[in-house]
Amino acid sequence: MNSSATSDLYRDITDFARTTPSWFQHLAELWTEAGLLLFGVLFIAVWWSARPAGARAVAVAVLAPLATAVAYVCSELTKSALTEERPCRAVAGAGASLIPCPPVGDWSFPSNHATIAGAAAITLAVARPVLAYLTVPMALLMAFSRVFVGVHYPHDVAVGLVFGGVVATVVVLAAARPVGALVGTMRTSGSSLALLLAGPGQPARTADHLAVTERA
């Protein structure tokens, strides 16, 4: 990846970052990691709230973090193959990053944080569409924060967001049916652990209930 295309933008953003109040800089530093924790909390909340729903809903909720992990692994493999140096070492004339520059060998393209954010934002939105209003801004802010603190080029995070979203979506769509079938099997197994993980599902509709519904 040719980093020269966004080196100027990187310098502009990091120069601006150093003019902001110290509390804002610390907030940006915190968000680069705290955002990951918040996504983790959302994964758990979405899975738990999906347990009374249909098997597919539970399958998508369970697949969301797994697909995000797959996207992260793909991002890491890509980084290892492309070996782009971090801008905090490579961009001439750039000031010091707000956080320590990662060591040599911890490559820059694509951004793992942005990949995880993009994957988490999209898969959570697939599981619970209304969450897109929260998760998409979260992912964008996390991606931008990585440039703001000085450890990534803009193209690192832009590609990471798209890459993570695409990989994770493909994984969820490909695995939703077989995992949904597994959830259905777990619900009929009689195991308390299986029921805890898969949830009770929607209550069965009895014949009397169906008859009343038909007469209505």
Side-chain angles (χ1 to χ4, degrees), residues 6-201:
T6 54
S7 292
D8 289 341
L9 182 56
Y10 168 81
R11 275 190 291 263
D12 290 341
I13 293 173
T14 53
D15 286 346
F16 166 72
R18 284 186 292 276
T19 68
T20 58
S22 59
W23 65 266
F24 190 83
Q25 295 178 15
H26 292 317
L27 184 63
E29 295 173 27
L30 175 65
W31 179 245
T32 64
E33 303 299 338
L36 298 178
L37 178 61
L38 184 52
F39 275 126
V41 171
L42 287 173
F43 282 139
I44 295 172
V46 167
W47 159 69
W48 187 260
S49 66
R51 290 171 67 256
R56 180 179 172 83
V58 176
V60 172
V62 169
L63 283 168
L66 298 179
T68 299
V70 171
Y72 163 74
V73 171
C74 292
S75 174
E76 187 63 33
L77 292 174
T78 303
K79 288 165 72 85
S80 298
L82 297 180
T83 64
E84 177 189 77
E85 187 56 274
R86 295 276 181 167
C88 36
R89 270 188 297 274
V91 176
S97 55
L98 298 183
I99 63 176
C101 194
V104 175
D106 187 348
W107 307 113
S108 191
F109 178 83
S111 164
N112 281 343
H113 280 75
T115 298
I116 293 171
I122 296 303
T123 54
L124 285 167
V126 170
R128 189 64 66 85
V130 70
L131 283 178
Y133 295 104
L134 172 64
T135 60
V136 171
M138 281 175 57
L140 292 174
L141 285 173
M142 184 179 295
F144 178 76
S145 73
R146 300 300 288 170
V147 183
F148 186 90
V149 300
V151 295
H152 276 292
Y153 291 101
H155 66 256
D156 295 341
V157 300
V159 172
L161 284 171
V162 175
F163 182 78
V166 169
V167 170
T169 299
V170 169
V171 171
V172 169
L173 294 179
R177 178 173 293 183
V179 174
L182 175 61
V183 169
T185 301
M186 292 172 67
R187 285 174 170 176
T188 60
S189 69
S191 165
S192 57
L193 178 59
L195 284 175
L196 173 65
L197 296 174

